[in-house]
Amino acid sequence: MWQVIKSVLAAFFGVQKERQRRRDFEEGRPGHFILVGLGAAAVLVGLVVLVAVLVAR
Amino acid sequence: MSRRLAWLSGSGVMGLSAQAQASGWNMPVGVTDISAEIYSLHMTIFWICVVIGLVVFGVMFYSLFRYRRSRHPEAANFHENTTVEVIWTTLPLLILVGMAVPATATLKKMYDTSDAELDVMVTGQQWRWRYEYLGEEVAFTSNMSTPRAQIRGEEPFGEHYLLEVDRPLVLPINRKVRFLFTADDVIHSWWVPDFAVKQDTIPGFVNENWVRINEPGIYRGQCAELCGMDHGFMPIVVHALEEDEFDAWLAERRDEAAEEALGVDRDWALEELMARGEEVYGAICASCHQVEGQGMLPTFPALAGNERLIDDLAWHSDTVINGVSGTAMPAFRSTLNPVELAAVLTYTRNAWGNDTGDTVQPAQIAEQLAR
């Protein structure tokens, strides 16, 4: 699980180690990455909204 | 009357004041705190870009030179360096956030229109600006005053070619002025570089912006949103006055408006209406229907010798007051007051050989407007 989160965060950042990428493709299940990815996207949107609200106050 | 004329021909009276000693290559520093702030933001970001450009191109040219083929015939063969990738992703992120923080702070100030001391409604129309001092009973339209002969190249250009108007917007310095922007027909944009204000005026919407001018002077701008044939011929001129001068000016305009309102009730002579009508016609109508009323076919019909106009006063006045939907003829019921409407109707019914002898009285028009 922790590995999946780390890989999703790396994808959001846009940089990933080649070794990790290979391992994800060999061992991981696509469904996990998709679910965690959707969750991370929701968190990102929430963070942007939070910053906007704080700044606009 | 002479004071009015002095005001009408105001451009140039105050001369070139604090307005831009700019080189013309950069945006102006302007005459408001906000415009100065925007200028310094612009320069900060410009220098950041210069540094980035120097570093990036420096590294590039250095590498090209240092690792040129004659010195290094064997190409290096490596792939991927996570550390470097992280650095070149993080660095731009930090730079962008670093630029966004001061930019957002300025943006917040620009949008804070609270506590204004004066409200001015700015309405874009094809092709002029209308200014209304809300709560002051003062409103007027501002038309370009550059003679058509200059535009057609028959006369040499004046000093403020295409950037001069008959009635400038007059504002006080050191007071927060809130603008409410809208338009009657299409989207225009009210742009005065020295105020760092460029705001779209959109039919059915009201946009807001504000200025607090620091320096008295004359500031010029233009419509910045393509809005039709005379888009280039609807300039903006703002006279920024000392506060007491502004108050005196506003009081004078208020008196004038009151006097004009009285004018509705009295009977006007033909000559009076003709003189006033010619003024209004030149400012409002002539850009389409032409100075001699010959029009510009097929879009703008001729008024001189127009039989329907001559025969049918009711149709004529309805056309001017309410416009003709589906054509370029706008409604002038809110742009012109009853005296101006009556004058321009009288003028077009008697000028250029349309010798109907009709006088249209302002009272008649006021009655028609109330219906």
Side-chain angles (χ1 to χ4, degrees):
Chain A
M1 184 67 184
W2 178 237
Q3 284 301 333
V4 175
I5 294 175
K6 259 172 71 179
S7 292
V8 166
L9 291 181
F12 269 61
F13 188 72
V15 180
Q16 174 70 301
K17 283 202 183 83
E18 179 64 14
R19 194 156 42 79
Q20 303 262 17
R21 191 186 69 83
R22 272 186 208 287
R23 204 208 40 225
D24 286 343
F25 272 80
E26 278 156 17
E27 297 171 15
R29 300 251 307 272
H32 293 165
F33 289 99
I34 292 170
L35 276 181
V36 175
L38 287 174
V43 170
L44 179 68
V45 169
L47 276 177
V48 171
V49 170
L50 185 73
V51 170
V53 167
L54 286 178
V55 167
R57 251 212 323 227
Chain B
M1 192 62 199
S2 67
R3 258 189 318 184
R4 184 194 170 88
L5 278 179
W7 175 61
L8 289 175
S9 60
S11 343
V13 172
M14 279 180 252
L16 290 164
S17 61
Q19 208 179 9
Q21 298 92 23
S23 63
W25 290 97
N26 202 349
M27 66 184 287
V29 181
V31 290
T32 67
D33 290 352
I34 290 285
S35 71
E37 220 171 276
I38 292 173
Y39 177 81
S40 79
L41 265 178
H42 159 72
M43 291 314 291
T44 308
I45 290 169
F46 169 74
W47 286 117
I48 291 174
C49 293
V50 168
V51 171
I52 293 173
L54 287 177
V55 170
V56 169
F57 285 102
V59 169
M60 193 178 95
F61 285 116
Y62 172 78
S63 310
L64 284 173
F65 178 73
R66 177 81 173 70
Y67 298 99
R68 64 190 185 275
R69 196 168 166 196
S70 58
R71 290 273 287 281
H72 294 266
E74 290 292 323
N77 188 10
F78 61 86
H79 185 265
E80 198 203 350
N81 184 329
T82 312
T83 317
V84 174
E85 283 177 35
V86 167
I87 289 172
W88 81 42
T89 311
T90 312
L91 214 58
L93 184 77
L94 292 178
I95 293 170
L96 282 176
V97 171
M99 296 195 298
V101 169
T104 307
T106 304
L107 210 58
K108 276 186 73 182
K109 281 187 223 170
M110 289 168 68
Y111 281 101
D112 178 16
T113 53
S114 58
D115 302 323
E117 292 160 87
L118 176 70
D119 288 331
V120 179
M121 184 100 182
V122 177
T123 309
Q125 300 172 341
Q126 283 174 322
W127 291 275
R128 61 189 66 85
W129 296 99
R130 180 170 176 76
Y131 301 115
E132 196 176 341
Y133 294 73
L134 298 180
E136 301 287 352
E137 308 281 313
V138 173
F140 54 85
T141 52
S142 180
N143 298 281
M144 186 183 69
S145 59
T146 299
R148 294 273 151 182
Q150 285 186 17
I151 295 167
R152 287 194 298 262
E154 295 158 10
E155 281 175 16
F157 294 161
E159 187 191 352
H160 298 296
Y161 179 67
L162 299 188
L163 290 175
E164 52 202 342
V165 297
D166 52 358
R167 275 171 291 193
L169 174 65
V170 178
L171 295 176
I173 61 165
N174 299 333
R175 276 189 207 163
K176 186 165 181 175
V177 180
R178 180 170 69 137
F179 295 118
L180 300 163
F181 294 100
T182 191
D184 282 346
D185 32 43
V186 299
I187 301 176
H188 304 269
S189 183
W190 197 84
W191 178 36
V192 178
D194 280 311
F195 300 162
V197 171
K198 184 196 268 178
Q199 188 77 58
D200 275 10
T201 71
I202 306 171
F205 282 79
V206 176
N207 284 331
E208 292 182 36
N209 212 316
W210 64 276
V211 292
R212 189 199 301 274
I213 306 166
N214 295 330
E215 303 271 345
I218 298 173
Y219 307 108
R220 294 170 201 276
Q222 283 169 293
C223 179
E225 183 66 56
L226 185 57
C227 61
M229 184 181 78
D230 280 359
H231 163 62
F233 300 158
M234 51 183 291
I236 297 148
V237 179
V238 180
H239 283 200
L241 301 180
E242 301 281 354
E243 294 183 73
D244 49 343
E245 286 176 43
F246 172 79
D247 290 333
W249 175 89
L250 191 62
E252 210 177 298
R253 294 284 82 67
R254 234 184 274 128
D255 291 349
E256 218 169 68
E259 204 179 300
E260 186 90 345
L262 286 179
V264 174
D265 296 328
R266 69 177 175 88
D267 258 353
W268 287 60
L270 179 63
E271 296 72 40
E272 256 183 310
L273 287 168
M274 286 295 283
R276 188 65 192 278
E278 188 171 4
E279 236 175 73
V280 177
Y281 185 86
I284 306 282
C285 317
S287 64
C288 297
H289 292 292
Q290 307 302 305
V291 181
E292 294 302 321
Q294 75 272 33
M296 220 188 331
L297 289 172
T299 314
F300 308 119
L303 303 184
N306 184 317
E307 277 172 27
R308 181 143 193 214
L309 179 150
I310 293 168
D311 293 341
D312 193 347
L313 171 60
W315 172 81
H316 183 196
S317 62
D318 181 64
T319 301
V320 175
I321 290 171
N322 297 317
V324 183
S325 69
T327 73
M329 180 70 186
F332 286 100
R333 59 162 57 239
S334 59
T335 313
L336 300 174
N337 65 37
V339 173
E340 290 167 328
L341 285 167
V344 81
L345 283 166
T346 305
Y347 178 73
T348 45
R349 300 188 69 72
N350 293 287
W352 332 291
N354 288 0
D355 300 316
T356 60
D358 291 344
T359 53
V360 181
Q361 291 298 335
Q364 268 170 268
I365 297 297
E367 201 181 300
Q368 198 173 339
L369 286 171
R371 252 186 265 142

